[in-house]
Amino acid sequence: MVSYDLLWSKLDNTTLPTELVRVLEYWYNNQSNQVRWNDTLSDSYRLKCGVRQGGLTSPNLFNMYVNGLIEELSGMHAGCYIDGVSVNNISYADDMVLLSPSIGALRKMLAVCEAYAKNHGLVYNSSKSVIMTFVSGHKKPKYVPPISLNGNVLDVVTDFKYLGHIISNTLKDDLDIERERRALAVRSNMLARRFTRCTKQVKITLFKAFCQVFYTSSLWVNYSQKTYNALRVQYNNAFRALLGLPSHCSASHMFARERTDDFYAIRRKRIVSLLGRVRVSSNSVLKTIADKMDCPILKYWVGQVINVRALSPLIY
């Protein structure tokens, strides 16, 4: 839905070289598209709006197109703040989260979003937009007033998947850990079934590539030990099944023998990696977190690195 005329106008007001803007303008205004269906191509046609899906320049072009909205939201003095830094909106491409301590402030921000979308030819998908009220301790609002987007009342949910990570209104990570356990089970079963005749070294390489992902695991803070152990057991069993090892063999011994990181080592590395990136980030929100020595998430990360290291066997 990105309007080309508005996009080129915005790019002209940036520090981008004029020649580069004109190249992009020529490229988009002269692109020809076809649809392939069962090895048959449709007639060619032109697109009059929208950045190219999957294009390397598309995320940056879209960011420039909606940057005005992010700046307007951040400067309206509504929503959540951390040490005076506005965190009322978190955006990644066309996925946006609005954070507010009150219904009134949230409605003001939604009004700004609706006005910006209308002026820029954009349309919000109300069916994919939801409201989630976080529980503070044992306090939970008895009634959440209806909130609308484009005239449609938004559903109130208790959990939501944002950028692949499941967020719960109780701030517990059990649902996301279970998501990762199920994904690990699918990937490990696929490897064990398709590569049963490969050499051990090939299997270990595949295991490292497909089974050590643990997507967003460095964000896990509040979870039950039962859910956490279920993922650890799934990881150990996946390695045993792939290498054809007996179920009673020692997990720490088999990982050390094959020079492969165990579950605790993977967790430690993920946390250290995220901690390092937060500390060197130029993002205003992340810098605020990194500069607060008493920040709860920083304390948790450092504590986890120490605790996990103590629990993890030495990997040579």
Side-chain angles (χ1 to χ4, degrees):
M1 302 294 291
V2 171
S3 168
Y4 292 151
D5 291 339
L6 284 175
L7 178 60
W8 311 138
S9 176
K10 288 179 178 290
L11 294 184
D12 285 333
N13 294 324
T14 65
T15 57
L16 285 176
T18 303
E19 294 81 4
L20 177 58
V21 177
R22 297 288 81 81
V23 167
L24 290 170
E25 182 178 358
Y26 178 84
W27 181 28
Y28 269 88
N29 289 338
N30 291 275
Q31 63 183 338
S32 179
N33 304 276
Q34 289 179 293
V35 176
R36 181 190 297 274
W37 183 263
N38 290 333
D39 295 327
T40 301
L41 291 176
S42 69
D43 296 334
S44 61
Y45 60 94
R46 297 284 181 88
L47 288 180
K48 297 182 180 180
C49 63
V51 292
R52 297 168 62 88
Q53 185 170 355
L56 296 179
T57 61
S58 298
N60 288 331
L61 291 176
F62 187 82
N63 287 342
M64 293 178 181
Y65 194 77
V66 299
N67 188 59
L69 172 60
I70 297 173
E71 291 179 344
E72 187 174 356
L73 288 170
S74 300
M76 66 183 300
H77 303 292
C80 294
Y81 277 77
I82 298 179
D83 278 4
V85 177
S86 174
V87 288
N88 61 4
N89 72 95
I90 300 175
S91 300
Y92 183 84
D94 60 344
D95 289 306
M96 174 176 283
V97 172
L98 300 180
L99 299 172
S100 172
S102 67
I103 296 295
L106 181 58
R107 284 174 172 165
K108 289 180 180 178
M109 289 189 290
L110 283 173
V112 170
C113 291
E114 290 175 334
Y116 191 93
K118 182 178 180 180
N119 294 332
H120 289 75
L122 301 174
V123 178
Y124 281 102
N125 191 337
S126 301
S127 63
K128 292 185 177 180
S129 302
V130 296
I131 298 292
M132 186 160 66
T133 304
F134 292 99
V135 179
S136 177
H138 297 291
K139 297 180 180 179
K140 184 178 180 181
K142 296 181 180 179
Y143 171 70
V144 178
I147 300 175
S148 301
L149 178 64
N150 295 333
N152 300 310
V153 177
L154 301 180
D155 293 332
V156 178
V157 299
T158 57
D159 58 80
F160 184 74
K161 181 182 285 189
Y162 180 65
L163 301 179
H165 182 91
I166 299 179
I167 303 172
S168 169
N169 68 334
T170 60
L171 294 180
K172 294 189 180 221
D173 299 306
D174 293 81
L175 290 177
D176 195 65
I177 294 176
E178 177 61 17
R179 169 200 57 78
E180 185 61 28
R181 190 196 67 78
R182 291 175 181 270
L184 174 61
V186 172
R187 293 193 298 266
S188 61
N189 288 336
M190 178 272 295
L191 293 179
R193 184 175 67 255
R194 295 186 180 182
F195 300 97
T196 183
R197 297 187 179 182
C198 291
T199 64
K200 181 170 70 174
Q201 191 55 49
V202 170
K203 291 179 179 179
I204 293 175
T205 301
L206 290 171
F207 180 83
K208 291 179 179 179
F210 286 89
C211 298
Q212 293 185 345
V213 180
F214 289 173
Y215 180 67
T216 71
S217 62
S218 50
L219 298 177
W220 296 339
V221 175
N222 186 6
Y223 47 81
S224 68
Q225 200 60 42
K226 179 180 179 181
T227 306
Y228 190 72
N229 287 337
L231 175 60
R232 178 181 57 82
V233 171
Q234 184 75 57
Y235 179 78
N236 295 344
N237 289 340
F239 195 69
R240 291 190 183 99
L242 187 60
L243 296 187
L245 300 174
S247 58
H248 60 270
C249 70
S250 169
S252 58
H253 180 264
M254 69 178 180
F255 284 117
R257 183 183 58 200
E258 304 302 341
R259 301 177 182 271
T260 302
D261 288 336
D262 70 347
F263 178 79
Y264 297 111
I266 296 295
R267 285 277 289 138
R268 182 174 67 248
K269 288 183 176 181
R270 294 291 183 271
I271 293 173
V272 170
S273 174
L274 180 57
L275 178 59
R277 283 178 284 144
V278 167
R279 284 176 169 168
V280 300
S281 174
S282 60
N283 181 275
S284 59
V285 176
L286 295 182
K287 281 182 66 66
T288 301
I289 295 174
D291 292 340
K292 285 178 62 67
M293 299 307 296
D294 60 342
C295 180
I297 188 67
L298 285 182
K299 286 183 177 181
Y300 174 81
W301 282 336
V302 174
Q304 279 294 101
V305 171
I306 295 174
N307 293 336
V308 172
R309 181 177 293 142
L311 291 171
S312 177
L314 183 63
I315 300 298
Y316 297 94

mmCIF file with all atom_site columns, all heavy atoms in Angstrom, residues 242-258:
data_model
loop_
_atom_site.group_PDB
_atom_site.id
_atom_site.type_symbol
_atom_site.label_atom_id
_atom_site.label_alt_id
_atom_site.label_comp_id
_atom_site.label_asym_id
_atom_site.label_entity_id
_atom_site.label_seq_id
_atom_site.pdbx_PDB_ins_code
_atom_site.Cartn_x
_atom_site.Cartn_y
_atom_site.Cartn_z
_atom_site.occupancy
_atom_site.B_iso_or_equiv
_atom_site.pdbx_formal_charge
_atom_site.auth_seq_id
_atom_site.auth_comp_id
_atom_site.auth_asym_id
_atom_site.auth_atom_id
_atom_site.pdbx_PDB_model_num
ATOM 1   N N   . LEU A 1 242 ? 19.321 -39.135 16.943 1.00 0.00 ? 242 LEU A N   1
ATOM 2   C CA  . LEU A 1 242 ? 20.022 -38.890 15.687 1.00 0.00 ? 242 LEU A CA  1
ATOM 3   C C   . LEU A 1 242 ? 21.278 -39.747 15.575 1.00 0.00 ? 242 LEU A C   1
ATOM 4   O O   . LEU A 1 242 ? 21.597 -40.268 14.495 1.00 0.00 ? 242 LEU A O   1
ATOM 5   C CB  . LEU A 1 242 ? 20.394 -37.403 15.577 1.00 0.00 ? 242 LEU A CB  1
ATOM 6   C CG  . LEU A 1 242 ? 20.994 -36.947 14.244 1.00 0.00 ? 242 LEU A CG  1
ATOM 7   C CD1 . LEU A 1 242 ? 20.014 -37.191 13.095 1.00 0.00 ? 242 LEU A CD1 1
ATOM 8   C CD2 . LEU A 1 242 ? 21.366 -35.468 14.308 1.00 0.00 ? 242 LEU A CD2 1
ATOM 9   N N   . LEU A 1 243 ? 21.995 -39.930 16.697 1.00 0.00 ? 243 LEU A N   1
ATOM 10  C CA  . LEU A 1 243 ? 23.223 -40.718 16.671 1.00 0.00 ? 243 LEU A CA  1
ATOM 11  C C   . LEU A 1 243 ? 22.989 -42.187 16.995 1.00 0.00 ? 243 LEU A C   1
ATOM 12  O O   . LEU A 1 243 ? 23.939 -42.989 17.000 1.00 0.00 ? 243 LEU A O   1
ATOM 13  C CB  . LEU A 1 243 ? 24.229 -40.133 17.662 1.00 0.00 ? 243 LEU A CB  1
ATOM 14  C CG  . LEU A 1 243 ? 24.726 -38.717 17.374 1.00 0.00 ? 243 LEU A CG  1
ATOM 15  C CD1 . LEU A 1 243 ? 25.844 -38.340 18.331 1.00 0.00 ? 243 LEU A CD1 1
ATOM 16  C CD2 . LEU A 1 243 ? 25.193 -38.566 15.938 1.00 0.00 ? 243 LEU A CD2 1
ATOM 17  N N   . GLY A 1 244 ? 21.742 -42.556 17.300 1.00 0.00 ? 244 GLY A N   1
ATOM 18  C CA  . GLY A 1 244 ? 21.434 -43.948 17.598 1.00 0.00 ? 244 GLY A CA  1
ATOM 19  C C   . GLY A 1 244 ? 21.989 -44.410 18.933 1.00 0.00 ? 244 GLY A C   1
ATOM 20  O O   . GLY A 1 244 ? 22.355 -45.579 19.091 1.00 0.00 ? 244 GLY A O   1
ATOM 21  N N   . LEU A 1 245 ? 22.040 -43.505 19.914 1.00 0.00 ? 245 LEU A N   1
ATOM 22  C CA  . LEU A 1 245 ? 22.566 -43.831 21.237 1.00 0.00 ? 245 LEU A CA  1
ATOM 23  C C   . LEU A 1 245 ? 21.448 -44.368 22.131 1.00 0.00 ? 245 LEU A C   1
ATOM 24  O O   . LEU A 1 245 ? 20.287 -44.019 21.953 1.00 0.00 ? 245 LEU A O   1
ATOM 25  C CB  . LEU A 1 245 ? 23.188 -42.587 21.874 1.00 0.00 ? 245 LEU A CB  1
ATOM 26  C CG  . LEU A 1 245 ? 24.355 -41.948 21.096 1.00 0.00 ? 245 LEU A CG  1
ATOM 27  C CD1 . LEU A 1 245 ? 24.781 -40.644 21.760 1.00 0.00 ? 245 LEU A CD1 1
ATOM 28  C CD2 . LEU A 1 245 ? 25.518 -42.916 21.017 1.00 0.00 ? 245 LEU A CD2 1
ATOM 29  N N   . PRO A 1 246 ? 21.791 -45.191 23.117 1.00 0.00 ? 246 PRO A N   1
ATOM 30  C CA  . PRO A 1 246 ? 20.761 -45.722 24.025 1.00 0.00 ? 246 PRO A CA  1
ATOM 31  C C   . PRO A 1 246 ? 20.178 -44.616 24.897 1.00 0.00 ? 246 PRO A C   1
ATOM 32  O O   . PRO A 1 246 ? 20.839 -43.631 25.211 1.00 0.00 ? 246 PRO A O   1
ATOM 33  C CB  . PRO A 1 246 ? 21.532 -46.752 24.872 1.00 0.00 ? 246 PRO A CB  1
ATOM 34  C CG  . PRO A 1 246 ? 22.969 -46.336 24.774 1.00 0.00 ? 246 PRO A CG  1
ATOM 35  C CD  . PRO A 1 246 ? 23.133 -45.748 23.403 1.00 0.00 ? 246 PRO A CD  1
ATOM 36  N N   . SER A 1 247 ? 18.945 -44.794 25.321 1.00 0.00 ? 247 SER A N   1
ATOM 37  C CA  . SER A 1 247 ? 18.245 -43.762 26.075 1.00 0.00 ? 247 SER A CA  1
ATOM 38  C C   . SER A 1 247 ? 18.826 -43.549 27.468 1.00 0.00 ? 247 SER A C   1
ATOM 39  O O   . SER A 1 247 ? 18.626 -42.497 28.066 1.00 0.00 ? 247 SER A O   1
ATOM 40  C CB  . SER A 1 247 ? 16.757 -44.129 26.208 1.00 0.00 ? 247 SER A CB  1
ATOM 41  O OG  . SER A 1 247 ? 16.623 -45.387 26.852 1.00 0.00 ? 247 SER A OG  1
ATOM 42  N N   . HIS A 1 248 ? 19.572 -44.533 27.983 1.00 0.00 ? 248 HIS A N   1
ATOM 43  C CA  . HIS A 1 248 ? 20.108 -44.424 29.339 1.00 0.00 ? 248 HIS A CA  1
ATOM 44  C C   . HIS A 1 248 ? 21.502 -43.818 29.389 1.00 0.00 ? 248 HIS A C   1
ATOM 45  O O   . HIS A 1 248 ? 22.055 -43.647 30.477 1.00 0.00 ? 248 HIS A O   1
ATOM 46  C CB  . HIS A 1 248 ? 20.134 -45.817 29.994 1.00 0.00 ? 248 HIS A CB  1
ATOM 47  C CG  . HIS A 1 248 ? 20.995 -46.800 29.248 1.00 0.00 ? 248 HIS A CG  1
ATOM 48  N ND1 . HIS A 1 248 ? 20.477 -47.592 28.229 1.00 0.00 ? 248 HIS A ND1 1
ATOM 49  C CD2 . HIS A 1 248 ? 22.308 -47.118 29.353 1.00 0.00 ? 248 HIS A CD2 1
ATOM 50  C CE1 . HIS A 1 248 ? 21.441 -48.366 27.753 1.00 0.00 ? 248 HIS A CE1 1
ATOM 51  N NE2 . HIS A 1 248 ? 22.557 -48.102 28.413 1.00 0.00 ? 248 HIS A NE2 1
ATOM 52  N N   . CYS A 1 249 ? 22.083 -43.481 28.248 1.00 0.00 ? 249 CYS A N   1
ATOM 53  C CA  . CYS A 1 249 ? 23.455 -42.952 28.250 1.00 0.00 ? 249 CYS A CA  1
ATOM 54  C C   . CYS A 1 249 ? 23.482 -41.544 28.841 1.00 0.00 ? 249 CYS A C   1
ATOM 55  O O   . CYS A 1 249 ? 22.510 -40.797 28.752 1.00 0.00 ? 249 CYS A O   1
ATOM 56  C CB  . CYS A 1 249 ? 24.043 -42.958 26.847 1.00 0.00 ? 249 CYS A CB  1
ATOM 57  S SG  . CYS A 1 249 ? 23.319 -41.760 25.714 1.00 0.00 ? 249 CYS A SG  1
ATOM 58  N N   . SER A 1 250 ? 24.613 -41.179 29.432 1.00 0.00 ? 250 SER A N   1
ATOM 59  C CA  . SER A 1 250 ? 24.764 -39.883 30.095 1.00 0.00 ? 250 SER A CA  1
ATOM 60  C C   . SER A 1 250 ? 24.742 -38.750 29.076 1.00 0.00 ? 250 SER A C   1
ATOM 61  O O   . SER A 1 250 ? 25.493 -38.781 28.090 1.00 0.00 ? 250 SER A O   1
ATOM 62  C CB  . SER A 1 250 ? 26.073 -39.845 30.877 1.00 0.00 ? 250 SER A CB  1
ATOM 63  O OG  . SER A 1 250 ? 26.369 -38.538 31.312 1.00 0.00 ? 250 SER A OG  1
ATOM 64  N N   . ALA A 1 251 ? 23.884 -37.745 29.324 1.00 0.00 ? 251 ALA A N   1
ATOM 65  C CA  . ALA A 1 251 ? 23.791 -36.613 28.396 1.00 0.00 ? 251 ALA A CA  1
ATOM 66  C C   . ALA A 1 251 ? 25.069 -35.804 28.396 1.00 0.00 ? 251 ALA A C   1
ATOM 67  O O   . ALA A 1 251 ? 25.601 -35.444 27.329 1.00 0.00 ? 251 ALA A O   1
ATOM 68  C CB  . ALA A 1 251 ? 22.603 -35.737 28.785 1.00 0.00 ? 251 ALA A CB  1
ATOM 69  N N   . SER A 1 252 ? 25.607 -35.491 29.584 1.00 0.00 ? 252 SER A N   1
ATOM 70  C CA  . SER A 1 252 ? 26.821 -34.681 29.651 1.00 0.00 ? 252 SER A CA  1
ATOM 71  C C   . SER A 1 252 ? 27.998 -35.383 28.992 1.00 0.00 ? 252 SER A C   1
ATOM 72  O O   . SER A 1 252 ? 28.815 -34.757 28.316 1.00 0.00 ? 252 SER A O   1
ATOM 73  C CB  . SER A 1 252 ? 27.154 -34.362 31.114 1.00 0.00 ? 252 SER A CB  1
ATOM 74  O OG  . SER A 1 252 ? 27.324 -35.555 31.873 1.00 0.00 ? 252 SER A OG  1
ATOM 75  N N   . HIS A 1 253 ? 28.077 -36.706 29.142 1.00 0.00 ? 253 HIS A N   1
ATOM 76  C CA  . HIS A 1 253 ? 29.182 -37.463 28.549 1.00 0.00 ? 253 HIS A CA  1
ATOM 77  C C   . HIS A 1 253 ? 29.081 -37.488 27.040 1.00 0.00 ? 253 HIS A C   1
ATOM 78  O O   . HIS A 1 253 ? 30.087 -37.310 26.325 1.00 0.00 ? 253 HIS A O   1
ATOM 79  C CB  . HIS A 1 253 ? 29.202 -38.887 29.112 1.00 0.00 ? 253 HIS A CB  1
ATOM 80  C CG  . HIS A 1 253 ? 30.313 -39.728 28.563 1.00 0.00 ? 253 HIS A CG  1
ATOM 81  N ND1 . HIS A 1 253 ? 30.150 -40.592 27.494 1.00 0.00 ? 253 HIS A ND1 1
ATOM 82  C CD2 . HIS A 1 253 ? 31.627 -39.815 28.915 1.00 0.00 ? 253 HIS A CD2 1
ATOM 83  C CE1 . HIS A 1 253 ? 31.294 -41.184 27.219 1.00 0.00 ? 253 HIS A CE1 1
ATOM 84  N NE2 . HIS A 1 253 ? 32.205 -40.734 28.075 1.00 0.00 ? 253 HIS A NE2 1
ATOM 85  N N   . MET A 1 254 ? 27.890 -37.710 26.499 1.00 0.00 ? 254 MET A N   1
ATOM 86  C CA  . MET A 1 254 ? 27.765 -37.816 25.037 1.00 0.00 ? 254 MET A CA  1
ATOM 87  C C   . MET A 1 254 ? 28.044 -36.480 24.347 1.00 0.00 ? 254 MET A C   1
ATOM 88  O O   . MET A 1 254 ? 28.651 -36.432 23.283 1.00 0.00 ? 254 MET A O   1
ATOM 89  C CB  . MET A 1 254 ? 26.382 -38.348 24.644 1.00 0.00 ? 254 MET A CB  1
ATOM 90  C CG  . MET A 1 254 ? 25.226 -37.404 24.894 1.00 0.00 ? 254 MET A CG  1
ATOM 91  S SD  . MET A 1 254 ? 23.648 -38.107 24.352 1.00 0.00 ? 254 MET A SD  1
ATOM 92  C CE  . MET A 1 254 ? 22.516 -36.762 24.772 1.00 0.00 ? 254 MET A CE  1
ATOM 93  N N   . PHE A 1 255 ? 27.633 -35.360 24.956 1.00 0.00 ? 255 PHE A N   1
ATOM 94  C CA  . PHE A 1 255 ? 27.905 -34.061 24.350 1.00 0.00 ? 255 PHE A CA  1
ATOM 95  C C   . PHE A 1 255 ? 29.390 -33.725 24.425 1.00 0.00 ? 255 PHE A C   1
ATOM 96  O O   . PHE A 1 255 ? 29.968 -33.192 23.473 1.00 0.00 ? 255 PHE A O   1
ATOM 97  C CB  . PHE A 1 255 ? 27.083 -32.961 25.035 1.00 0.00 ? 255 PHE A CB  1
ATOM 98  C CG  . PHE A 1 255 ? 25.634 -32.954 24.652 1.00 0.00 ? 255 PHE A CG  1
ATOM 99  C CD1 . PHE A 1 255 ? 24.642 -33.177 25.590 1.00 0.00 ? 255 PHE A CD1 1
ATOM 100 C CD2 . PHE A 1 255 ? 25.253 -32.718 23.337 1.00 0.00 ? 255 PHE A CD2 1
ATOM 101 C CE1 . PHE A 1 255 ? 23.307 -33.172 25.235 1.00 0.00 ? 255 PHE A CE1 1
ATOM 102 C CE2 . PHE A 1 255 ? 23.919 -32.714 22.965 1.00 0.00 ? 255 PHE A CE2 1
ATOM 103 C CZ  . PHE A 1 255 ? 22.940 -32.940 23.915 1.00 0.00 ? 255 PHE A CZ  1
ATOM 104 N N   . ALA A 1 256 ? 30.029 -34.046 25.559 1.00 0.00 ? 256 ALA A N   1
ATOM 105 C CA  . ALA A 1 256 ? 31.458 -33.780 25.705 1.00 0.00 ? 256 ALA A CA  1
ATOM 106 C C   . ALA A 1 256 ? 32.271 -34.632 24.737 1.00 0.00 ? 256 ALA A C   1
ATOM 107 O O   . ALA A 1 256 ? 33.228 -34.155 24.119 1.00 0.00 ? 256 ALA A O   1
ATOM 108 C CB  . ALA A 1 256 ? 31.890 -34.040 27.137 1.00 0.00 ? 256 ALA A CB  1
ATOM 109 N N   . ARG A 1 257 ? 31.884 -35.888 24.567 1.00 0.00 ? 257 ARG A N   1
ATOM 110 C CA  . ARG A 1 257 ? 32.607 -36.792 23.681 1.00 0.00 ? 257 ARG A CA  1
ATOM 111 C C   . ARG A 1 257 ? 32.522 -36.353 22.233 1.00 0.00 ? 257 ARG A C   1
ATOM 112 O O   . ARG A 1 257 ? 33.499 -36.464 21.475 1.00 0.00 ? 257 ARG A O   1
ATOM 113 C CB  . ARG A 1 257 ? 32.039 -38.210 23.836 1.00 0.00 ? 257 ARG A CB  1
ATOM 114 C CG  . ARG A 1 257 ? 32.768 -39.266 23.013 1.00 0.00 ? 257 ARG A CG  1
ATOM 115 C CD  . ARG A 1 257 ? 32.096 -40.594 23.173 1.00 0.00 ? 257 ARG A CD  1
ATOM 116 N NE  . ARG A 1 257 ? 30.693 -40.512 22.758 1.00 0.00 ? 257 ARG A NE  1
ATOM 117 C CZ  . ARG A 1 257 ? 29.772 -41.385 23.144 1.00 0.00 ? 257 ARG A CZ  1
ATOM 118 N NH1 . ARG A 1 257 ? 30.078 -42.368 23.985 1.00 0.00 ? 257 ARG A NH1 1
ATOM 119 N NH2 . ARG A 1 257 ? 28.529 -41.278 22.720 1.00 0.00 ? 257 ARG A NH2 1
ATOM 120 N N   . GLU A 1 258 ? 31.372 -35.814 21.830 1.00 0.00 ? 258 GLU A N   1
ATOM 121 C CA  . GLU A 1 258 ? 31.193 -35.394 20.436 1.00 0.00 ? 258 GLU A CA  1
ATOM 122 C C   . GLU A 1 258 ? 31.499 -33.911 20.236 1.00 0.00 ? 258 GLU A C   1
ATOM 123 O O   . GLU A 1 258 ? 31.224 -33.359 19.175 1.00 0.00 ? 258 GLU A O   1
ATOM 124 C CB  . GLU A 1 258 ? 29.759 -35.683 19.986 1.00 0.00 ? 258 GLU A CB  1
ATOM 125 C CG  . GLU A 1 258 ? 29.327 -37.123 20.132 1.00 0.00 ? 258 GLU A CG  1
ATOM 126 C CD  . GLU A 1 258 ? 30.212 -38.101 19.365 1.00 0.00 ? 258 GLU A CD  1
ATOM 127 O OE1 . GLU A 1 258 ? 30.929 -37.639 18.440 1.00 0.00 ? 258 GLU A OE1 1
ATOM 128 O OE2 . GLU A 1 258 ? 30.203 -39.298 19.688 1.00 0.00 ? 258 GLU A OE2 1
#
